[in-house]
Amino acid sequence: MGILVTILVLTVLWWAWTFNRLVSWQKRIDEAVSQLDVQLKRRNDLLPNLINVTKAYAQYEQTTLAQLTALRKQTGQAGWNAPQMVQLSVLLTDFLARAEAYPTLKADQQFTKLSAELRYTEDKIAYARKLYNDTVARYNTVCQRFPDFLVAQVHHFDKRELLVTAANERAVPEVDDAL
């Protein structure tokens, strides 16, 4: 009789331990999904703003350089007349004022920052996906392993699906050169 009670108590303890472990794995999966959502939202919020700032810096520098180059060409071809000298002076004054405020042109730094932020963000998303898939794989293993699958089936711990990259997302993306 004592052996039967011991077996029954051990079975109940094992059942409770297995059930609790399955619940823990489900919670880990939910947390992994949440972390992935956080990273995707971060990317969607941050990257368009960074791209716009980078475009603005690049546009400013391109416009300023184009104006200076064109004006220098005009003054060199037609001689130094007063209106062109005034226009050149105004443009150079504006350029020098900005150069004093920003000692170096910033677009290259913005492109570097954008590139680094893209890499960092995509690494965080890749890590979140890996964490999710690792967690789901461990959970699914517990749900399918004997004798744990008995508890899983009785309590409806269903198999979870791994994140799979769609075929159209496996191709290397093209970077928009309009930047």
Side-chain angles (χ1 to χ4, degrees):
M1 183 70 166
I3 293 175
L4 193 55
V5 169
T6 302
I7 291 173
L8 183 61
V9 167
L10 289 176
T11 302
V12 169
L13 289 175
W14 167 81
W15 193 277
W17 178 76
T18 302
F19 178 85
N20 289 335
R21 194 165 45 131
L22 289 167
V23 169
S24 293
W25 280 112
Q26 282 188 331
K27 296 300 178 195
R28 289 178 189 167
I29 291 169
D30 293 343
E31 183 181 345
V33 168
S34 177
Q35 288 301 316
L36 182 56
D37 286 343
V38 165
Q39 295 309 320
L40 291 172
K41 178 155 179 32
R42 178 182 177 276
R43 176 176 65 183
N44 290 338
D45 290 347
L46 178 68
L47 294 184
N49 292 329
L50 281 175
I51 289 170
N52 288 338
V53 167
T54 303
K55 281 182 179 181
Y57 271 110
Q59 182 62 40
Y60 165 73
E61 290 179 11
Q62 183 180 16
T63 302
T64 302
L65 186 59
Q67 288 175 339
L68 282 171
T69 303
L71 196 53
R72 187 184 52 80
K73 262 186 173 177
Q74 287 175 359
T75 57
Q77 292 172 352
W80 296 89
N81 62 37
Q84 288 174 328
M85 288 296 292
V86 170
Q87 189 179 7
L88 181 60
S89 177
V90 168
L91 187 59
L92 283 174
T93 300
D94 179 57
F95 180 75
L96 291 174
R98 289 179 191 263
E100 287 173 5
Y102 305 99
T104 59
L105 295 176
K106 304 286 186 185
D108 65 329
Q109 294 172 9
Q110 288 300 88
F111 280 106
T112 302
K113 182 179 177 181
L114 175 62
S115 176
E117 192 61 45
L118 282 169
R119 190 175 322 109
Y120 177 72
T121 299
E122 292 304 319
D123 285 348
K124 287 184 76 107
I125 291 170
Y127 176 78
R129 288 176 189 252
K130 182 182 180 322
L131 176 65
Y132 173 82
N133 279 346
D134 287 348
T135 306
V136 167
R138 289 179 179 195
Y139 167 80
N140 287 342
T141 300
V142 172
C143 286
Q144 295 170 345
R145 193 174 46 201
F146 181 81
D148 298 339
F149 83 91
L150 298 170
V151 177
Q153 286 192 346
V154 168
H155 295 285
H156 304 290
F157 286 95
D158 298 324
K159 179 181 176 184
R160 298 280 185 105
E161 295 300 318
L162 297 171
L163 290 177
V164 179
T165 304
N168 62 338
E169 292 178 359
R170 291 181 187 175
V172 176
E174 292 185 30
V175 176
D176 182 9
D177 61 353
L179 215 151

